[in-house]
Amino acid sequence: MGGCVTKVWYSFSSGLTQTVRGAPFGTLAAIVVLASALTLLGVQSVPGLASLHQLADGPNPYFIPQHTAFLYVWIPLVTVAGCLALLLPGLLISLSLNKGKDTFGVWVLKGFAFSTLIVSLMASGAQIVLGAPLVGSGFAISLAVLNGLCLAFAYLRNQSAPISWQFLAGRIPDLILGLAAPILILLLFSPKFYWEDFTGDGAHLFLATLQYVQSGSPLWPAGSPDVLSNFPTLNAVLQLFASSWFVRLFGETAFAIRAVFLFGTMILAITLMEIIRFRHQISVPWRVAGALGAALLLYAYVLCFNASYDPYFADIGLPTSREPAIVFTFLGFVLFGMMKRYAWMIIFAALSYTAGPNGLILMGLWTGSLFLVSSRLWPLNTDALRTWPIKDTAIGLGVIGGVFIAFAILESLLAVFGLANIGTEFGGSAILQRLRYVTIDTWQRFAFLILPSGILPVIALAFWAWQDRVSRAMTLTSLFYFGFFYVQGFRILPHHFAPVMVLPLIVLWRLAIPNPQVLRNGLPALAVFGCAVAAVIVTPQTMQVHRVGSQFGASIQVQEVELSPMDTESFVAFDQLFKQAAPRRNVESAWQKGYIGKSSAWFIHALRPKSGNQEITYVVRRPGVAQRDHETLLAEWEGWTLVTVSEDQYHADLSQSGIPSSISPVFYVLRDTVFGKGERGGNRRVIDVLKFLPIAEPDTDSDTANDDAD
């Protein structure tokens, strides 16, 4: 049976390769037309997902037979088509310029970089010309035209100097993995993508994306309230580009910003295969791709259910959606650095910096690790010094430092000229504050390293003798990165370890195992088995889709306010009013014995279209509107008021107990570990390192669990 399947796959891949080689531009034109047509049709149909939100409350929201064609065939097909339509401009430009001399994974990475620039400029440029955001069918048609122009450019370049298509040889497993991974993830976790509520972080991303689409700038304008403008920062802005594309295509929906995770996973899968192949021969590429696919499904499973500051559930929008880009932009920096293609190394250093605050950390750790594994450190003599890769290390550090300085200057210029409000959430002071309190015995965090990759990849880190220079540098990078976040006393959650959920996979599949049979047969089987075991261990407490926040938000009426265009004044007033009426206490008893939501999420849900039978319990009014006789005032802020028409319902809403949490017990982090501060004793010791330094008095405050922060 296995041999038959292998033959079928071999025949399929060979046939596909021959088709591409025989009519390369015909194949490309067909892909462009098909992706553009499906995307245009998706623009009309995908927003309809939101109207089916009540299906999430059914007994089995993960499979709804009466909507099989729409939910499990059409939406995944359209989503992948949209991902391709967004990536194709960059792929075609890269192909035109390099004439097919890149390897497949490098081509895809460069395509992402080009598309990030081209598609974003197209959208912003059209917005300037039209005087209105380019959204819906207009954006889809413009994207199709852009793809057509890029295809024509590639064709003309091919006429003058033929493009080599050899880079596709043997890469069908990589391509299939890249396409299949996002489809399978969406099929397995569809209701979490389609209908789950926003957390505070997800709501913030959604509002920031709307601001970007409406204004044309990914950063909040100068004068924006801090509660909104603290995200994004320049070192976390990359996600906004992709989320704005999907909102333009699929409307102002939660699914649109969550689709970014699928887009990122597609590129991540191909990038992983590329770096595994780098100066390394894969004897069984289909089996490696299959095992990698299983690992990526587990990776998605862990993040989709557990990456959250919220005690009830994780919102795929943020932070989960940005995690794949953090890894593949870092790997782009790694690949181009080892290939000594320094211009592209700089580009991916910039992309890695903007993908997330840990991008800078990963690049620095990799550069240091590569130096260590390339150098002979003992005995320290002249011969040893000759082995030190001083030039390569200096270039790496210079690129990292140059990118950091460039963005610091850009941030200063934006602030000085009043062009944008730059957030401080991921600023240097915030990071130093995290490093102030350290711990060595928060043993739960080892699970964040071992389980999400499927157990076996972490074991592979110990087989130093079977690792080459690249693998050893990746091993040290993974361990140093894990240690950097492990020792931090507070505000550490599973998603902070997301890169080391993936990087050990590279080490595993580059191992030089002496026994070829183990490498060909045993290792793929063991890897998949490890993923299955880990998936059982990390099973959530419940798979139920969280909808308490949207139901609460639907009972709120915000008078004379709309979600689009963005009304920052009303958001700040709404936030302040509900901080008074429904204060959020980040302690265990608060969420177990009552309901603590996030006002930013309620704000979005409150402004959604309401069903005809929706009862209104709360009303938010602008200054100057009188309170009615049957209403009870709950809060007031600068003339804005929040009233309820039923005090009993108000108390019932806030006292809801037993709301289930879909976060796995293995990954659930106690509220004090997340939001606490100060030294601790007992089972989890936390030390204030500031008391050992003669620069300030140590902070003895150990109770900041009431901070209203995500």
Side-chain angles (χ1 to χ4, degrees), residues 106 188 220 291 426 497 555 611 664 695:
V106 169
L188 287 172
W220 292 89
F426 301 127
F497 298 89
S555 69
S611 61
S664 168
I695 57 176

Side-chain angles (χ1 to χ4, degrees), residues 270-424:
I270 294 170
T271 305
L272 286 172
M273 288 293 287
E274 181 64 35
I275 199 164
I276 290 169
R277 290 177 183 272
F278 181 74
R279 297 173 186 167
H280 176 78
Q281 185 67 36
I282 300 179
S283 59
V284 282
W286 281 107
R287 295 179 187 181
V288 172
L292 265 183
L296 287 173
L297 291 180
L298 176 62
Y299 166 76
Y301 186 35
V302 169
L303 289 180
C304 289
F305 279 90
N306 302 286
S308 181
Y309 285 94
D310 194 281
Y312 301 113
F313 72 108
D315 184 344
I316 295 171
L318 191 67
T320 297
S321 285
R322 77 175 171 212
E323 299 303 336
I326 289 173
V327 179
F328 75 69
T329 54
F330 160 66
L331 293 179
F333 168 82
V334 169
L335 275 170
F336 288 113
M338 290 190 295
M339 294 164 65
K340 300 189 185 304
R341 297 172 69 173
Y342 298 123
W344 280 102
M345 183 185 183
I346 293 170
I347 290 170
F348 271 86
L351 289 171
S352 182
Y353 179 88
T354 58
N358 41 358
L360 195 68
I361 297 168
L362 284 166
M363 291 189 289
L365 292 177
W366 166 261
T367 304
S369 297
L370 193 60
F371 174 83
L372 290 175
V373 301
S374 303
S375 306
R376 201 175 80 206
L377 302 176
W378 190 261
L380 189 60
N381 52 37
T382 304
D383 290 337
L385 290 175
R386 290 196 185 101
T387 68
W388 291 12
I390 295 175
K391 178 182 176 182
D392 290 344
T393 304
I395 290 173
L397 293 176
V399 168
I400 296 168
V403 166
F404 176 79
I405 292 170
F407 276 99
I409 293 172
L410 176 60
E411 181 175 323
S412 298
L413 291 175
L414 290 172
V416 167
F417 290 102
L419 299 176
N421 251 23
I422 306 296
T424 59

Side-chain angles (χ1 to χ4, degrees), residues 204 207 220 223-230 421 558 561-563 566-581 599-601 603-604 607 620-623 635-642 708:
H204 205 158
L207 293 171
W220 292 89
S224 298
D226 291 342
V227 69
L228 285 170
S229 63
N230 66 350
N421 251 23
V558 187
V561 174
E562 295 181 356
L563 193 57
M566 182 70 186
D567 185 340
T568 58
E569 180 191 0
S570 65
F571 175 84
V572 173
F574 188 99
D575 181 60
Q576 293 295 327
L577 291 170
F578 276 96
K579 278 182 178 178
Q580 298 175 44
S599 60
S600 54
F603 179 77
I604 297 170
L607 296 180
V620 174
R621 292 196 179 98
R622 290 183 178 275
E636 184 175 4
W637 182 81
E638 294 190 358
W640 288 77
T641 56
L642 168 63
D708 186 37

